Amino acid sequence: MVPQNSYTFSISESTFDAAKVLEDYRLAAISRQCSLIVRKEVFSGRAKFGIYGDGKEVCQIALARSMQEGDYISGYYRDQTIGVAIGDLTWPQYFAQLYGHPDIQFDPHSGGRQMNNHHATRWLDDQGEWIDQTNRMNSVAGISSTAGQTPRALGIAYASKLYRERPDLAEYATLFSKGGREICYTTIGDASTSEGMYFECINAAGVLQVPIIFSVWDDGYGISVPIEFQTTKSSISKALAGFQRKEDGKGLEIIQVKAWDYPGLVDAYRRAAKLAREEFVPCLVHVIECTQPQGHSASGSHERYKSAERLAWEHEADCNALFRQWILDQKFADESTLKEIDEEAVIQARKYQKDAFAAYMNSIDSDKKGFLRIAKNLYDSTNEPGLLEPILEELNQLSYPIFSDLVRAGRKTLRAFRFYQGPAVKLLRKWLAELEARNHRRFSSHQMSESVHSTLLVPEVKAHYAKEPLQVDGREILNKSFSDFLEDPRVFILGEDVGNIGDVNQTLAGLQEKFGPLKVTDTGIREVSIVGQGIGAAMRGLRPIVEIQYLDYIFYPFAILSDDWACLHYRTAGGQKSPMIVRTRGHRLEGIWHSGSPMAVLINGLRGVHFCVPRNMTQAAGMYRTLLAGDDPGLVIECLNGYRLKEAMPDNLLEIQVPLGIPEILREGGDLTVVTYGSMCRIVMEAAETLAEMGISVEVIDVQTLLPFDRHHQILTSIQKTHRVLFADEDMPGGTTAYMMQEVIDKQGGFTWLDTPAKCLSARPHRPAYSSDGDYFSKPNVENVVDSVYEMMREADPSTFPAIYF
């Protein structure tokens, strides 16, 4: 589709200063030149992949000019012009990220871990302490997953609402808010507005009335697919027209403006910012007639799917060219002045690129020189040129060797000289070990907090009981605990049915009445945006506990939990964090969608999150307290069938802290170790009683957390005593039992101590069927555990343990 246009600029209500207009043009010009260079660098082989914001420069400048200190941009991978305009990105950093320079001094946004155009303000200092967010304009960590930037943007804006409407937060607001006047801007391409999470967040923003401005860069395509196949009415603003606010109700303010209309864009964003900041009206700014001068990215060419007519229009409607024309029409500058700016942009952009690449190569050069010195020593001391020369020749043929090339060369050399044990070989081993350690810091650090607030440093506080403790429902233990947690102004609970009815299991009964609806908050059925509210609020110093009503429903927001939340600290190289707690309930209850225990899916998709699987509500309460005392994100999966089971009330319930990664021995034994967690603990403990009657002494271990897992190798200590181990859970075969087996047998070296092969006991390879029979025949039961253990013992001593069923 080719727009028809006369390119008539808006008559602006604003007064423009010529110097500031030329400053904006200068930024647009250099941003365009940097985009052009990115594509060339990819084709030259110096960069792996390139994505750029050409064709969106003018609208991004207008957006940036409406921002104030303390505001946030939760954008996507085309927002380089915004980043530079707000002072959060420099062009050398832009190119450093393009090359993957793994040093936060050069790429402070990700330390080389993200592809270019993924920006993130460093909110944490070198010690992991919060830095003031109110004296700068902030970039929320970039994310490639389309529309993934939107849910946490909702949460950033929601935090402004909380800081404005809750006076009890004033003492905690210093680094995060000045009266709740901060806006969160979020940007997206038109095609990605088709994602369900985008619609969900639009709806949630309309309900919540938070200061958020949605911007849509509409260039008419989603890679190669045109907008008529993407969006109803080929227009997101038309499709969302029902959300337009009216005098008689809430909603969004929807504004449409053209990407090349500089005065119209400035007015549009000033208007949206005023509404969002002063009235908490969420706004949608639909920027139409954007272009893509180089197509979607460096991985292809838009000439393959755009007509000659469309390409000609894109050249004609280029925002920078029309901005240039408007400047001339307004007589803010003459042709020679603009030509000088254009020429200067070419020179500056190339200098920034060259300097960034030189810095990247220099960071590698010292390690390369170290290897070559050792190689010469090796050559001189062994007189084996035939072993070394091919490796050196391969390395020297590389135009731009990188760290992995050096490691590869070092390993090849050690393999080649494996029969030599002289000083040069030992020196090479030392060099390689040190380089590997530095590379671990470069590429694998900060998956979890490394600060003094690390959750792993929270000390244990054990439960203490009276001689005859009061027996109460498990839900009562949680209710009392959550009431205590909520005394901290930063803590709030968010989710479906958590407020008015106190959640579906009554663990929050009476707490909304006690603390108010902004502390215990009911939401709609919208898991993605619930999670987004929590992620964004936690980025601004708050401590949300976000509820997913049942574990089976965690797959609705799983993309956001995995792509954004879990890897946030890692992908920013320790620059940002979101210590949200996700609360849910799972394991056995009733039927296909209320008995889920898909632990393996979750632990492998949520690395970077502490994964707690308490066996009862007392342990759950202690885990929540531990997570709240630390600064890492955490997931707690309560036992669905445990809320009305009786538990002893600890005397020190409000002090209990359960250390993470530390298993607990529930029953001591000498014949065989059973490793389990969650609801299976009760099943295994009952089975252990039966097995004891059969002459088998079972040691039962509750791992308590799956991430981290048995940090001090307590399970290995048990196996050294019993020499047999069974891993049992409710996940499907090949799932978390296999994970636990690998951790113990492979990583801990448990295989050496086994007299009998380790075994796994899991659920059936299908969803659990409904009813008590469905539970019995779908999930491991007492008889399964008894029979599995007995067969392992029979294999070792068939005379003492004869066959039962055959």
Side-chain angles (χ1 to χ4, degrees):
M1 186 169 66
V2 180
Q4 301 298 314
N5 227 313
S6 60
Y7 307 116
T8 301
F9 295 96
S10 298
I11 305 300
S12 177
E13 299 175 359
S14 304
T15 301
F16 293 99
D17 176 83
K20 291 183 178 179
V21 169
L22 290 182
E23 181 184 340
D24 286 349
Y25 181 75
R26 187 172 286 107
L27 175 54
I30 195 169
S31 182
R32 177 64 58 87
Q33 291 304 316
C34 289
S35 291
L36 296 174
I37 289 173
V38 166
R39 187 175 180 87
K40 293 175 183 176
E41 287 300 282
V42 173
F43 291 162
S44 76
R46 287 186 288 266
K48 289 275 289 185
F49 179 78
I51 198 84
Y52 19 74
D54 53 331
K56 285 86 178 169
E57 294 92 347
V58 177
C59 54
Q60 292 187 27
I61 289 169
L63 181 155
R65 297 310 182 217
S66 72
M67 292 179 69
Q68 296 180 8
E69 287 187 350
D71 286 346
Y72 300 80
I73 173 68
S74 179
Y76 77 128
Y77 44 72
R78 302 201 184 279
D79 289 344
Q80 67 205 46
T81 312
I82 297 174
V84 175
I86 66 174
D88 193 53
L89 172 71
T90 67
W91 293 118
Q93 292 169 1
Y94 175 78
F95 286 112
Q97 195 174 52
L98 174 70
Y99 300 123
H101 193 159
D103 186 335
I104 62 171
Q105 300 305 315
F106 294 90
D107 172 19
H109 302 270
S110 71
R113 295 178 182 184
Q114 296 217 85
M115 68 175 67
N116 73 304
N117 257 338
H118 288 69
H119 314 135
T121 306
R122 295 200 75 78
W123 291 334
L124 305 175
D125 64 19
D126 292 342
Q127 286 72 48
E129 302 288 349
W130 287 112
I131 296 172
D132 194 342
Q133 297 176 12
T134 67
N135 60 5
R136 65 179 74 191
M137 289 173 271
N138 302 277
S139 295
V140 189
I143 178 171
S144 287
S145 310
T146 58
Q149 66 273 26
T150 312
R152 75 325 176 53
L154 182 74
I156 293 282
Y158 183 67
S160 289
K161 179 174 182 172
L162 294 181
Y163 279 118
R164 179 178 292 194
E165 297 185 5
R166 284 188 41 208
D168 59 325
L169 284 173
E171 65 177 298
Y172 298 98
T174 305
L175 301 178
F176 305 104
S177 181
K178 291 182 178 177
R181 290 179 52 80
E182 300 79 22
I183 298 171
C184 186
Y185 296 73
T186 183
T187 65
I188 195 169
D190 58 289
S192 296
T193 63
S194 299
E195 292 280 7
M197 66 180 69
Y198 187 76
F199 278 90
E200 185 176 316
C201 291
I202 287 281
N203 179 62
V207 170
L208 294 170
Q209 293 292 284
V210 291
I212 186 170
I213 298 176
F214 301 90
S215 292
V216 180
W217 310 145
D218 189 345
D219 56 35
Y221 285 84
I223 305 184
S224 67
V225 180
I227 196 169
E228 54 263 34
F229 298 118
Q230 303 273 4
T231 307
T232 300
K233 301 181 181 180
S234 296
S235 167
I236 189 62
S237 53
K238 291 179 181 178
L240 295 178
F243 286 89
Q244 173 62 50
R245 67 183 183 129
K246 305 291 184 182
E247 291 183 2
D248 58 348
K250 299 176 182 178
L252 277 71
E253 183 67 17
I254 299 176
I255 302 167
Q256 182 174 286
V257 62
K258 294 178 179 178
W260 45 264
D261 183 5
Y262 176 80
L265 286 160
V266 169
D267 283 353
Y269 277 104
R270 284 180 178 172
R271 177 185 167 203
K274 188 173 187 296
L275 286 169
R277 198 180 310 280
E278 296 182 6
E279 300 180 37
F280 271 29
V281 175
C283 298
L284 170 69
V285 180
H286 182 197
V287 181
I288 62 172
E289 298 187 14
C290 293
T291 62
Q292 284 189 333
Q294 301 181 97
H296 175 267
S297 67
S299 64
S301 171
H302 61 160
E303 286 83 1
R304 292 184 299 159
Y305 51 85
K306 290 179 182 175
S307 67
E309 185 182 13
R310 171 74 191 196
L311 291 168
W313 174 83
E314 291 203 12
H315 179 74
E316 180 184 275
D318 185 286
C319 64
N320 283 15
L322 290 172
F323 183 22
R324 192 180 198 280
Q325 185 59 52
W326 179 81
I327 293 172
L328 293 171
D329 291 346
Q330 298 296 311
K331 302 188 186 313
F332 288 133
D334 57 21
E335 178 64 34
S336 64
T337 300
L338 297 183
K339 183 179 180 182
E340 182 179 340
I341 291 173
D342 293 338
E343 291 172 348
E344 182 183 358
V346 174
I347 295 169
Q348 284 187 323
R350 179 54 70 184
K351 182 181 185 303
Y352 290 138
Q353 174 270 316
K354 288 181 177 178
D355 289 349
F357 188 70
Y360 176 45
M361 289 292 100
N362 286 340
S363 71
I364 300 165
D365 194 52
S366 60
D367 287 319
K368 180 183 177 182
K369 287 177 179 177
F371 172 73
L372 293 177
R373 282 194 301 269
I374 296 170
K376 184 179 185 304
N377 191 336
L378 194 60
Y379 184 96
D380 293 341
S381 62
T382 62
N383 196 27
E384 288 283 0
L387 295 179
L388 189 57
E389 286 177 351
I391 298 171
L392 294 178
E393 182 180 356
E394 182 181 2
L395 181 62
N396 289 327
Q397 284 179 349
L398 297 172
S399 300
Y400 313 110
I402 56 179
F403 290 112
S404 56
D405 295 319
L406 301 182
V407 170
R408 193 176 294 114
R411 288 177 173 175
K412 286 182 178 180
T413 303
L414 285 174
R415 290 198 297 268
F417 286 85
R418 63 191 179 277
F419 297 112
Y420 295 83
Q421 298 299 321
V425 170
K426 293 178 181 178
L427 193 60
L428 180 57
R429 286 174 182 160
K430 181 175 182 292
W431 171 87
L432 183 60
E434 290 173 350
L435 179 58
E436 293 274 33
R438 289 194 295 275
N439 285 337
H440 183 272
R441 289 298 301 170
R442 287 172 177 135
F443 301 106
S444 299
S445 68
H446 293 98
Q447 186 171 29
M448 307 302 299
S449 171
E450 299 180 8
S451 78
V452 296
H453 307 294
S454 167
T455 311
L456 299 183
L457 300 178
V458 175
E460 180 179 16
V461 178
K462 293 181 178 293
H464 297 149
Y465 296 93
K467 288 185 178 180
E468 295 183 6
L470 179 67
Q471 297 292 317
V472 299
D473 287 352
R475 61 187 175 86
E476 295 180 57
I477 287 175
L478 283 181
N479 183 272
K480 188 174 181 180
S481 299
F482 282 124
S483 180
D484 183 60
F485 301 151
L486 286 164
E487 294 292 341
D488 183 336
R490 297 168 300 171
V491 175
F492 65 92
I493 300 174
L494 191 72
E496 301 159 17
D497 298 306
V498 302
N500 189 38
I501 67 168
D503 97 28
V504 292
N505 294 289
Q506 294 296 286
T507 62
L508 303 174
L511 297 188
Q512 186 183 71
E513 184 179 0
K514 179 178 179 181
F515 291 98
L518 287 179
K519 287 279 282 179
V520 184
T521 306
D522 281 318
T523 69
I525 301 176
R526 49 176 183 83
E527 285 83 2
V528 170
S529 53
I530 293 171
V531 162
Q533 281 179 256
I535 293 173
M539 288 174 165
R540 296 185 63 187
L542 301 177
R543 298 307 305 268
I545 300 174
V546 167
E547 179 169 313
I548 302 297
Q549 198 164 83
Y550 293 98
L551 181 60
D552 298 271
Y553 303 157
I554 203 168
F555 294 108
Y556 283 93
F558 189 63
I560 298 304
L561 293 173
S562 180
D563 289 347
D564 194 7
W565 181 53
C567 65
L568 174 68
H569 197 56
Y570 167 77
R571 74 179 193 270
T572 59
Q576 295 189 5
K577 64 182 177 182
S578 177
M580 172 181 75
I581 298 172
V582 173
R583 178 197 184 203
T584 187
R585 48 194 67 87
H587 313 312
R588 58 184 69 216
L589 186 66
E590 293 294 348
I592 292 172
W593 295 287
H594 297 82
S595 299
S597 194
M599 301 294 121
V601 176
L602 299 177
I603 59 175
N604 289 308
L606 295 177
R607 297 300 171 108
V609 173
H610 291 307
F611 200 108
C612 303
V613 281
R615 65 182 179 271
N616 59 33
M617 303 312 160
T618 302
Q619 295 303 104
M623 291 174 183
Y624 284 118
R625 188 172 300 281
T626 298
L627 290 169
L628 287 168
D631 66 347
D632 280 318
L635 170 66
V636 181
I637 301 173
E638 300 163 13
C639 296
L640 251 173
N641 61 357
Y643 295 107
R644 285 170 175 75
L645 295 178
K646 296 298 183 182
E647 296 184 29
M649 176 66 78
D651 292 340
N652 64 334
L653 175 63
L654 304 187
E655 300 172 2
I656 297 171
Q657 293 178 163
V658 175
L660 306 188
I662 309 297
E664 182 176 349
I665 297 174
L666 304 184
R667 180 188 179 106
E668 293 190 355
D671 292 329
L672 186 144
T673 302
V674 179
V675 180
T676 190
Y677 59 88
S679 294
M680 276 296 293
C681 289
R682 289 191 296 274
I683 301 293
V684 173
M685 289 293 282
E686 185 178 342
E689 291 288 342
T690 300
L691 287 162
E693 295 169 2
M694 301 172 74
I696 300 172
S697 173
V698 172
E699 183 143 296
V700 181
I701 297 181
D702 174 12
V703 302
Q704 302 212 86
T705 63
L706 293 171
L707 296 173
F709 184 89
D710 190 12
R711 289 192 284 146
H712 304 314
H713 296 187
Q714 290 171 258
I715 298 171
L716 177 63
T717 301
S718 176
I719 293 173
Q720 289 170 342
K721 175 176 63 173
T722 65
H723 304 290
R724 300 175 185 87
V725 63
L726 172 69
F727 299 94
D729 78 347
E730 300 178 42
D731 202 353
M732 293 190 186
T736 306
T737 51
Y739 161 76
M740 293 191 293
M741 180 182 281
Q742 182 189 34
E743 289 288 321
V744 175
I745 304 304
D746 185 357
K747 295 184 180 180
Q748 296 184 13
F751 178 81
T752 306
W753 299 91
L754 292 177
D755 292 341
T756 301
K759 296 285 180 71
C760 293
L761 175 62
S762 306
R764 296 289 183 178
H766 55 70
R767 294 289 187 99
Y770 176 65
S771 81
S772 296
D773 270 352
D775 175 79
Y776 185 87
F777 293 111
S778 299
K779 299 226 177 190
N781 53 57
V782 172
E783 285 70 35
N784 295 148
V785 176
V786 170
D787 290 347
S788 296
V789 171
Y790 187 88
E791 280 303 303
M792 293 175 72
M793 296 301 296
R794 191 178 76 83
E795 181 180 334
D797 187 358
S799 60
T800 304
F801 304 104
I804 296 176
Y805 300 113
F806 57 90

